């Protein structure tokens, strides 16, 4: 019998997050109600900080290669994505813990199991109950997101997909206010997510039939040295792509994004906006570059068409929106297209231009994530009598009543636009340069033109905030450091990376090679 070797230290960053999630469930069972919130917040912060510390220690020790019996690959892109997920996950989950802005309770439903508008719901709200289960759910999702882009076989990737998806389905339906809208969002996300998972599994089955293995290296070898026709390979690749591109938010698999972003509790929306996209793009890169890289001439043209459609839908439909969360949802779709331009390019680094497709996509995800985390945290603070004031008209005159908050939000909008001296400009330059070097100059031209179209709805929000009359009944809620810390970190990151992108670009460049 072969002795099973399990690399505990190498996997410690993931294990710490998942163990903390399990302990969070135990906290719900044994810790008195009055102490659960503080226990859960401490557990989240301690586990993520410990995970990040182990990640840095493993990096410095040079630990890497196949781990967990070959089901995961700990290479430089994995280190980069894990680090980004831990930072963004911590910033997003801190916003989960905000209570002051809601008068002493969290953004989440008093009792998610009660029927909206029922007596039981009213009693739970009057008793000021809250769901602290969201913290272990978020940790389970974060753990699954870490495994997803690191998986080196299709079965592990599918398990990770379900581990991070199921908690998100639950959290999307747990908003304290507008609960019917929240539950509708959760149901749509669940049904469409289950459908995409079925496509993913069909793709897994077909690729296994083609290669005789779930392992990415074996699939790559079968692509290079085929023993049968390519029909089953192309079908499996297409079906697998549906499951992956659904999570990225690429057209035509984006229909869930606007409704889910709008209906989910805003802290959950911020968590999904970057962490889900980062994990999904990372997994897509690993599948198409490592397992299916030999078939790039088949998937590149089709993916280029989908990228154009994605940018068109995100930019044009975003112009018609009147709700700020829905606007940022279409923004997310447009940015998915911008990120995927680098993926389509599939370029390797050179001595004169070391930033390749993988590195540029990773850097773009960082700068997009900073602006997204901060933007959704700001949205939780702009309120009226019914809760968050999400109508864009309600933000009118915010620059007069709260110039600091409006200025920070304007910075995020300018970064989304890609204005020079913001991080978004450097990010777009990186992904467009990678696509151009890959021979997709026409795609870059289309992306630049659609960036100009998308700039209209970002700048419209800035104009409304600074040149409109203050809206009646809209105030900026008082918040604690749980919200202001992510806002401050995001604003600082967007500003600094716009002027000094060197260190993060260097890290992204160093992370630009998958181990095959």
């Amino acid at each position: 019998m072969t002795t099973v070797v399990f690399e505990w230290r190498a996997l410690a960053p993931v294990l710490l997050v998942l163990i903390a999630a399990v302990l969070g469930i135990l906290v719900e069972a044994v810790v008195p109600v009055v102490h659960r919130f503080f226990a859960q917040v401490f557990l989240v912060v301690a586990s993520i900080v410990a995970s990040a510390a182990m990640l840095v220690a493993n990096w410095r020790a040079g630990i890497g290669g196949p781990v967990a019996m070959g089901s995961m690959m700990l290479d430089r892109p994995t280190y980069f994505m894990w680090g980004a997920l831990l930072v963004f996950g911590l910033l997003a989950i801190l916003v989960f813990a905000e209570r002051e802005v809601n008068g002493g309770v969290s953004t989440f439903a008093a009792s998610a199991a009660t029927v909206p508008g029922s007596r039981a719901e009213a009693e739970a709200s009057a008793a000021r109950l809250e769901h602290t289960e969201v913290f272990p759910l978020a940790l389970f999702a974060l753990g699954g997101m870490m495994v997803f882009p690191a998986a080196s076989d299709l079965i592990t990737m599918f398990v990770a997909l379900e581990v991070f998806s199921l908690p998100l389905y639950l959290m999307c339906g747990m908003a304290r206010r507008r609960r019917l809208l929240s539950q509708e969002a959760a149901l749509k996300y669940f049904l469409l997510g289950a459908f995409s998972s079925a496509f993913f599994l069909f793709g897994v089955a077909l690729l296994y039939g083609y290669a005789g293995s779930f392992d990415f290296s074996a699939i790559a070898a079968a692509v290079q040295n085929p023993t049968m026709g390519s029909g089953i390979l192309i079908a499996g690749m297409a079906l697998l792509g549906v499951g992956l591109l659904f999570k990225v938010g690429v057209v035509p698999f984006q229909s869930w994004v606007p409704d889910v972003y709008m209906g989910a509790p805003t802290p959950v929306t911020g968590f999904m906006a970057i962490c889900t996209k980062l994990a999904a793009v990372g997994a897509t890169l690993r599948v198409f570059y490592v397992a299916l890289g030999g078939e790039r001439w088949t998937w590149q043209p089709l993916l280029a068409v989908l990228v154009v459609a994605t940018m068109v839908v995100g930019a044009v439909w975003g112009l018609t929106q009147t709700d700020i969360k829905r606007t940022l949802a279409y923004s997310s779709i447009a940015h998915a297209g911008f990120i995927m331009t680098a993926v389509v390019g599939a370029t390797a680094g050179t001595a004169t231009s070391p930033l390749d497709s993988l590195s540029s996509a990773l850097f773009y995800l960082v700068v997009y994530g900073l602006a997204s985390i901060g933007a959704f945290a700001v949205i939780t603070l702009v309120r009226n009598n019914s809760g968050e004031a999400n109508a864009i008209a309600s933000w009118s005159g915010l620059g007069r009543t709260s110039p600091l908050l409006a200025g920070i939000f304007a910075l995020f909008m300018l970064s989304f636009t890609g204005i020079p001296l913001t991080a978004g400009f450097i990010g777009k330059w990186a992904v467009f340069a990678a696509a151009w070097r890959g021979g997709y100059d026409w795609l870059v031209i289309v992306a630049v033109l659609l960036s100009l179209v998308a700039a209209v709805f970002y700048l419209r929000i800035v104009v409304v905030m600074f040149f409109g009359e203050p809206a009646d009944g809209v105030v900026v809620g008082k918040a604690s450091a749980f919200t202001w810390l992510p806002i401050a970190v995001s604003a600082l990151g967007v500003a600094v990376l716009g002027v000094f992108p060197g260190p993060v670009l260097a890290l992204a460049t160093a992370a630009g090679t998958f181990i095959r």
Side-chain angles (χ1 to χ4, degrees):
M1 295 180 65
T2 302
T3 303
V4 175
V5 178
F6 199 78
E7 300 81 358
W8 295 100
R9 177 174 174 177
L11 293 170
V14 176
L15 295 177
L16 285 169
V17 171
L18 293 175
I19 290 171
V22 174
L23 293 177
I25 299 298
L26 293 177
V27 166
E28 291 296 314
V30 302
V31 174
V33 174
V34 294
H35 301 303
R36 285 180 193 168
F37 172 81
F38 300 102
Q40 294 285 20
V41 172
F42 173 79
L43 193 58
V44 165
V45 174
S47 63
I48 293 180
V49 170
S51 177
M54 283 301 305
L55 187 69
V56 172
N58 289 348
W59 172 273
R60 290 173 62 87
I63 295 174
V67 295
M69 295 171 284
S71 62
M72 292 170 61
M73 184 64 71
L74 189 57
D75 50 16
R76 289 181 175 182
T78 298
Y79 273 107
F80 189 95
M81 287 183 281
W82 281 7
L85 281 169
L86 289 171
V87 171
F88 291 134
L90 178 60
L91 293 176
I93 297 173
L94 284 177
V95 186
F96 285 29
E98 181 58 61
R99 298 166 106 190
E100 290 187 18
V101 76
N102 279 307
V105 292
S106 71
T107 308
F108 299 94
S111 177
T114 58
V115 177
S118 65
R119 181 177 177 180
E121 182 195 34
E123 291 175 349
S125 298
R128 303 179 70 78
L129 300 180
E130 58 184 329
H131 277 289
T132 50
E133 295 96 328
V134 295
F135 296 104
L137 285 174
L139 287 176
F140 275 121
L142 183 61
M145 290 171 183
M146 293 175 71
V147 175
F148 194 47
S152 60
D153 68 66
L154 294 173
I155 294 299
T156 303
M157 184 168 281
F158 175 73
V159 172
L161 174 67
E162 296 306 301
V163 168
F164 83 77
S165 294
L166 293 175
L168 292 178
Y169 301 151
L170 291 173
M171 292 190 292
C172 284
M174 296 176 68
R176 180 173 289 270
R177 300 178 186 269
R178 299 193 299 177
R179 288 192 60 214
L180 283 174
L181 188 64
S182 178
Q183 291 181 354
E184 177 189 351
L187 184 60
K188 287 180 178 178
Y189 194 20
F190 169 69
L191 292 176
L192 293 174
F195 199 48
S196 73
S197 295
F199 276 101
F200 187 95
L201 273 181
F202 274 116
V204 169
L206 291 177
L207 287 178
Y208 178 78
Y210 178 82
S213 174
F214 297 111
D215 188 77
F216 290 169
S217 60
I219 295 172
V223 170
Q224 294 289 345
N225 303 287
T227 58
M228 63 177 68
S230 61
I232 190 172
L233 170 64
I234 294 173
M237 182 169 56
L239 292 172
L240 192 69
V242 170
L244 292 169
L245 297 180
F246 173 85
K247 289 298 183 183
V248 179
V250 170
V251 171
F253 318 113
Q254 89 301 342
S255 58
W256 64 275
V257 176
D259 291 339
V260 173
Y261 276 39
M262 183 179 177
T266 303
V268 176
T269 305
F271 180 65
M272 291 191 301
I274 177 54
C275 292
T276 299
K277 194 176 296 294
L278 200 160
V281 171
T284 302
L285 285 163
R286 190 175 292 277
V287 167
F288 281 95
Y289 282 15
V290 176
L292 302 172
E295 199 66 21
R296 58 178 287 190
W297 308 116
T298 301
W299 57 257
Q300 272 182 303
L302 178 58
L303 193 57
V305 173
L306 297 182
V307 166
V308 172
T310 301
M311 292 186 291
V312 168
V313 169
V316 175
W317 267 251
L319 296 173
T320 66
Q321 304 306 311
T322 58
D323 183 278
I324 199 157
K325 286 177 69 178
R326 202 171 182 89
T327 299
L328 292 187
Y330 280 101
S331 165
S332 172
I333 295 171
H335 283 282
F338 299 145
I339 295 169
M340 296 301 289
T341 58
V343 180
V344 170
T347 56
T350 64
T352 56
S353 241
L355 197 66
D356 60 5
S357 287
L358 173 57
S359 302
S360 60
L362 293 177
F363 180 78
Y364 194 102
L365 285 164
V366 169
V367 299
Y368 170 75
L370 288 170
S372 294
I373 291 287
F376 283 107
V378 170
I379 289 173
T380 65
L381 300 181
V382 182
R383 313 182 71 80
N384 54 26
N385 291 334
S386 61
E388 292 176 6
N390 290 338
I392 293 177
S394 299
W395 288 57
S396 179
L398 187 66
R400 301 184 189 182
T401 57
S402 183
L404 175 61
L405 193 69
I408 291 174
F409 196 79
L411 176 63
F412 297 143
M413 295 301 102
L414 294 177
S415 183
F416 284 143
T417 304
I419 297 297
L421 298 182
T422 65
F425 173 77
I426 306 297
K428 286 188 176 180
W429 165 79
V431 295
F432 293 167
W436 189 282
R437 291 197 305 273
Y440 281 85
D441 47 354
W442 66 268
L443 182 60
V444 174
I445 294 171
V446 172
V448 170
L449 293 176
L450 289 170
S451 294
L452 296 176
V453 175
V456 174
F457 59 78
Y458 295 128
L459 297 179
R460 180 183 65 182
I461 296 173
V462 176
V463 169
V464 167
M465 288 193 299
F466 287 96
F467 296 98
E469 293 295 325
D472 293 334
V474 176
V475 298
V476 174
K478 294 182 179 180
S480 67
F482 287 127
T483 297
W484 279 109
L485 181 61
I487 291 174
V489 170
S490 298
L492 184 63
V494 167
V496 171
L497 288 181
V499 182
F500 302 107
V504 178
L505 274 174
L507 285 174
T509 303
T513 305
F514 285 119
I515 295 179
R516 298 179 182 273

